[in-house]
Amino acid sequence: MTDTYLELSHSAWGNAFVSLLGLPKPPRLKRGEGAWSERPLDGQAGVYGAAEGGQLSPALLRALHDAGASLRVRPELTGFEAVKRAAAELNVTLTGMPVTGETVPPAQFIVYDASGLSRPERLHELYEFFQPLAARIAPNGRVVIVTRTPESASEAPRAACAASLRGFIKSLGKEIGRKGATANLIEVAPGSEAGLAGALRFLLSERAAYVSGQPLVLDAKGAAGSWAAPLKGKTALVTGAARGIGASIAEVLAREGAQVIGVDRPQEEGELAATLARFAGAGLPLDITAADAPARIAAECRSRFGGLDVIVHNAGITRDKTLRNMPPHFWDQVIEVNLAAIVRINEQLLQDGLKDGARMVCISSIGGIAGNPGQTNYGATKSGVIGYVRAMAPLMAQRGGAINAVAPGFIETAMTAQMPAVPRIMGRLLSSVMQGGLPVDIAEAVGFLASGYASGVNGQTLRVCGQHLSGG
Ligand code: NAI
């Protein structure tokens, strides 16, 4: 569905109208085109900095260098000496940059290692680094701060500093969202540093155009696979693949090399076949709530493809009514499709049909985080998904894999097209980037979580909502 207001505000006369009335003008978000590559930051210039005592510069500089980025630094700041040493060891070239004013060139991205911050007084270092840069973040620019998980801090003041970064990036994200720029945080548990490069590549990319104000926690072991075609040779099953977000997920997974099996209801068989024909996907028309669905999925995947490497539980429905007016079948249908079927299918696949190292992704919703009137059923299932992936994470880790969730915000699909006009407009404008997301925004996040790029991520829920006010 088209966002008429966004299109209008970018037309010649619409722009004049919007400016005259002082109305918000949503930015045009730049989205990634084509498949992942070895050096996605080739030709991009960013700024790198670190608080004194930070431990993550070697891993971060290596990751940025390997991705092709050129890096500018601020040598006058206290943390610079350690950055310089790490760069020298890695043979990474750093360029000094002017400190303030119009002479500071726009930064396409900014990466900051905040892991050295040990006491609240030292948060001044954060201010000192970012304040002169705040006005110089390029349109569609990216800010990523990296720190240790607050839980891993040995002392409370250090934990306070690590936790303060969540509030910092959320507020910064709201300040820079109007130019399509984003701010996110990576929290690294000790032992999970190998996951940094993949997480950084994702958050710095145009694929994360609709991800802002989010902490991404790395607390799983495992090395990333190949950067180009990360799903080559993998078999991926996507439910609800006929249209909307599911169709886009299926397409992105196929683009990254996966053989895709698309599931959708038998009555959508024609649309499912048309979608899958675009990338030689295999169709499996069935209702995921049917009693025999888990066994059929397991048998089909095993016999035709030798088992699954990736499963994406995307199929979902709404049956909205306030609780006082909700008939029992509205309640039951939503619980069945959005949560109970996921649990049953996974129980079957864990016995039969899932390969070692398999990665699962479930689609939640910010409706399960913030709640919505008329969606007690839907909200219950979508927060149930968040709890489910957290609880399943240790089991998946034992098998060398992972399970995570994506919580979309307002995404332009048939589901949101049914919404009344006012909530629909609010759904768009109340995000930091003042617009709804596209199915591909969810698909790219799923592609990240389904691949070795997210090797450090397990049991997490990533919100892809443009930092929407409700749940951002
Ligand atoms: P959609 O309604 O456009 O597509 C859902 C697909 O799931 C359809 O192809 C449908 O036939 C299929 N499906 C439904 N019940 C099924 C069943 N019993 N068995 C097999 N397939 C079934 O929905 P959309 O917008 O693409 O949503 C996809 C997922 O994203 C859902 O889980 C939804 O709750 C979630 N979501 C969507 C948001 C949005 O703004 N569109 C926001 C937050 C979450």
Side-chain angles (χ1 to χ4, degrees):
M1 192 177 175
T2 317
D3 182 342
T4 318
Y5 181 73
L6 178 111
E7 294 308 324
L8 181 90
S9 67
H10 282 268
S11 68
W13 70 269
N15 182 27
F17 180 74
V18 160
S19 307
L20 186 71
L21 295 184
L23 295 171
K25 184 176 174 188
R28 271 212 195 280
L29 298 186
K30 213 164 152 201
R31 292 180 164 91
E33 278 170 20
W36 276 107
S37 66
E38 287 289 337
R39 291 170 63 87
L41 297 178
D42 251 343
Q44 284 203 37
V47 184
Y48 182 83
E52 198 171 357
Q55 313 119 19
L56 301 170
S57 280
L60 291 170
L61 289 173
R62 162 63 62 211
L64 290 165
H65 177 72
D66 288 353
S70 51
L71 299 175
R72 299 198 302 255
V73 285
R74 305 210 21 220
E76 76 284 7
L77 297 183
T78 45
F80 177 66
E81 278 310 309
V83 173
K84 196 167 99 180
R85 270 196 308 278
E89 271 170 37
L90 297 166
N91 221 359
V92 170
T93 308
L94 304 174
T95 313
M97 63 180 291
V99 188
T100 51
E102 290 305 305
T103 51
V104 181
Q108 286 164 300
F109 66 84
I110 301 175
V111 175
Y112 185 73
D113 170 16
S115 65
L117 295 173
S118 53
R119 294 196 58 82
E121 299 77 10
R122 291 194 50 210
L123 286 171
H124 188 77
E125 286 175 49
L126 185 71
Y127 168 83
E128 222 179 3
F129 178 78
F130 275 103
Q131 198 281 330
L133 297 172
R136 309 299 297 156
I137 298 167
N140 284 289
R142 298 280 179 268
V143 174
V144 176
I145 299 183
V146 187
T147 190
R148 289 293 184 190
T149 48
E151 298 73 25
S152 67
S154 49
E155 306 114 28
R158 189 178 280 279
C161 289
S164 71
L165 299 168
R166 288 198 179 199
F168 180 81
I169 53 113
K170 282 180 186 291
S171 300
L172 183 60
K174 289 184 176 174
E175 291 180 13
I176 63 179
R178 72 187 65 156
K179 53 178 163 181
T182 64
N184 292 292
L185 177 68
I186 302 177
E187 295 178 350
V188 195
S192 302
E193 294 78 4
L196 258 177
L200 198 58
R201 280 176 183 242
F202 172 66
L203 290 175
L204 290 179
S205 75
E206 292 169 357
R207 291 160 220 281
Y210 206 59
V211 181
S212 193
Q214 300 312 311
L216 184 61
V217 180
L218 307 185
D219 66 353
K221 296 195 170 39
S226 119
W227 294 133
L231 296 176
K232 193 167 170 207
K234 308 278 186 198
T235 302
L237 182 129
V238 181
T239 68
R243 64 168 195 233
I245 292 171
S248 191
I249 292 171
E251 190 153 10
V252 163
L253 299 186
R255 184 196 72 196
E256 298 304 334
Q259 164 64 59
V260 172
I261 306 165
V263 171
D264 213 299
R265 294 176 295 192
Q267 60 266 41
E268 314 297 342
E269 190 171 357
E271 197 174 358
L272 179 66
T275 299
L276 296 171
R278 299 206 297 262
F279 41 86
L284 181 54
L286 57 77
D287 184 326
I288 57 167
T289 66
D292 63 350
R296 280 186 60 199
I297 289 174
E300 178 85 6
C301 295
R302 190 178 5 82
S303 65
R304 282 184 65 191
F305 303 98
L308 285 177
D309 301 285
V310 172
I311 173 156
V312 183
H313 291 288
N314 160 78
I317 58 168
T318 50
R319 295 287 181 273
D320 295 355
K321 282 269 182 217
T322 55
L323 186 57
R324 62 189 291 171
N325 295 320
M326 185 173 296
H329 67 285
F330 269 33
W331 178 269
D332 293 341
Q333 284 170 355
V334 170
I335 302 289
E336 268 295 292
V337 177
N338 295 5
L339 188 56
I342 299 176
V343 173
R344 286 196 301 265
I345 291 168
N346 285 352
E347 282 168 351
Q348 174 80 47
L349 287 173
L350 283 162
Q351 288 174 34
D352 169 30
L354 209 59
K355 289 191 193 158
D356 282 345
R359 301 188 70 87
M360 293 185 181
V361 187
C362 302
I363 304 299
S364 173
S365 167
I366 59 166
I369 296 169
N372 282 317
Q375 290 201 320
T376 50
N377 50 356
Y378 187 77
T381 60
K382 294 301 185 177
S383 62
V385 162
I386 294 171
Y388 176 69
V389 302
R390 207 181 300 126
M392 287 282 289
L395 179 64
M396 292 303 290
Q398 272 170 28
R399 300 171 63 117
I403 179 167
N404 292 288
V406 172
F410 181 98
I411 306 297
E412 306 284 355
T413 68
M415 188 183 264
T416 44
Q418 291 165 8
M419 288 168 69
V422 172
R424 196 167 66 230
I425 291 165
M426 285 303 158
R428 290 174 178 142
L429 287 181
L430 292 182
S431 73
S432 294
V433 289
M434 297 181 285
Q435 59 198 284
L438 300 182
V440 72
D441 296 323
I442 307 306
E444 294 288 4
V446 170
F448 161 65
L449 291 170
S451 73
Y453 275 77
S455 64
V457 190
N458 193 14
Q460 306 297 319
T461 296
L462 177 63
R463 299 175 203 184
V464 183
C465 62
Q467 201 180 15
H468 197 270
L469 204 59
S470 67

